[in-house]
Amino acid sequence: MTVEELSARTGVSVRNIRAYQTAGLMPPPRLQGRLGLYDAEHQGKLELIRDLRQQGFRLEAIKGMLEKTPEGAWGEYSLISELFSTTFFTVEAPKRKGINEMAANWDTKATPEQKERLARNGLYRPVGEDEVEMLSPALERIGIQLAELNVPLDTVLDLQDELIKHTRAIAKAYVEQLFLELLKAITSSQPASSDKGSPAAKLAPDPNVVGAMKGLFERLRPLAIGSVSAAFPVVLQQEFDRAIQKQQKKRS
């Protein structure tokens, strides 16, 4: 297919397709004279990039993921991304709220710098000039309670940034060492399609494989989330004890 046809099938603009090629995320098309032609592998890879971008991943992060994805598996991984997309691991429904309405809990208005921090940290999706979609409303409820304890807004944002930084590292380890490895094992066991000439056949995994993926991930999801909840109180106590001991040594 031409780049225009690829764009129409995936909903990705021609400009972005070429930008992804320049960034090394997609291989160049096969040339037929001066005409560049794309195939089902290009489409599957582009759909995966598109889905990851919609979930908030930056190009550098996507490039790292693609480098670890087996060649020829782009179609399967795109469908997997669709199956386990924006809500599979979440436990709350997103909630819209004005940024200044959130800042009002601290009896102030949000500064441009604070608004930028919210837009950058990944837990708040901007939907307007002064409105965001909170991907974890529970964190806002915690923030309100911290405001009631007179914890400054900037301190709350600092803590939130640290929380995101470290939980993202944990999530990345789970994804790369557990979920992707299991996906590779499951998809590699899928028999090859007999209809090799059909792009649709190349992109459609066996229903039994899809069922196995969903069943396995349904069991793994609470284990991954629960492990963080289980470990954090222990580590919090250890860090508190270390901090107290350090202060005692300073006084002595």
Side-chain angles (χ1 to χ4, degrees):
M1 71 196 92
T2 65
V3 67
E4 290 80 12
E5 290 170 333
L6 179 63
S7 174
R9 289 191 185 192
T10 61
V12 179
S13 69
V14 171
R15 179 181 178 182
N16 281 344
I17 291 173
R18 289 178 172 145
Y20 296 154
Q21 288 175 192
T22 302
L25 274 70
M26 283 186 62
R30 177 175 52 84
L31 291 178
Q32 190 175 78
R34 298 180 62 184
L35 181 65
L37 295 177
Y38 298 81
D39 57 21
E41 289 297 315
H42 287 99
Q43 180 179 337
K45 193 166 190 178
L46 181 58
E47 287 173 344
L48 178 58
I49 296 168
R50 176 200 64 197
D51 294 343
L52 292 171
R53 287 290 288 164
Q54 289 174 349
Q55 294 173 38
F57 288 94
R58 297 182 178 180
L59 293 182
E60 304 82 36
I62 294 174
K63 188 173 183 180
M65 293 180 192
L66 294 178
E67 288 172 353
K68 297 178 181 179
T69 307
E71 287 294 333
W74 313 121
E76 291 177 351
Y77 276 75
S78 176
L79 287 172
I80 289 164
S81 177
E82 183 179 338
L83 289 170
F84 305 106
S85 60
T86 56
T87 59
F88 182 78
F89 290 100
T90 56
V91 294
E92 296 181 280
K95 177 182 175 184
R96 289 192 176 193
K97 197 161 188 178
I99 296 176
N100 280 323
E101 183 183 354
M102 294 163 61
N105 294 299
W106 284 266
D107 296 322
T108 187
K109 286 187 176 181
T111 66
E113 292 78 12
Q114 290 167 341
K115 290 181 181 181
E116 172 61 25
R117 291 180 73 175
L118 287 179
R120 193 174 59 239
N121 69 20
L123 290 181
Y124 303 88
R125 185 180 295 128
V127 293
E129 186 177 343
D130 188 47
E131 190 178 23
V132 294
E133 187 176 54
M134 298 182 297
L135 302 183
S136 178
L139 273 181
E140 190 216 8
R141 294 191 290 271
I142 293 171
I144 291 171
Q145 293 179 62
L146 290 173
E148 293 171 351
L149 294 171
N150 296 319
V151 179
L153 176 56
D154 280 325
T155 300
V156 173
L157 292 175
D158 288 341
L159 289 170
Q160 193 171 90
D161 285 347
E162 287 296 312
L163 172 70
I164 295 165
K165 174 184 174 182
H166 295 291
T167 53
R168 192 175 298 283
I170 296 169
K172 183 178 180 182
Y174 264 98
V175 167
E176 293 181 354
Q177 298 177 30
L178 181 62
F179 288 97
L180 285 184
E181 289 303 314
L182 288 170
L183 281 175
K184 289 176 187 176
I186 293 173
T187 55
S188 65
S189 66
Q190 179 180 344
S193 171
S194 58
D195 188 5
K196 295 183 179 180
S198 168
K202 291 181 182 179
L203 296 174
D206 188 300
N208 293 327
V209 174
V210 174
M213 287 180 195
K214 283 194 169 183
L216 180 62
F217 278 21
E218 284 285 359
R219 294 183 63 187
L220 285 173
R221 175 175 52 184
L223 297 178
I225 297 171
S227 66
V228 178
S229 300
F232 185 71
V234 176
V235 178
L236 180 63
Q237 182 66 56
Q238 291 171 347
E239 291 303 312
F240 180 80
D241 292 343
R242 287 193 185 102
I244 294 298
Q245 291 169 7
K246 188 181 293 185
Q247 291 299 318
Q248 289 174 338
K249 288 180 180 178
K250 285 182 179 179
R251 290 183 179 180
S252 60

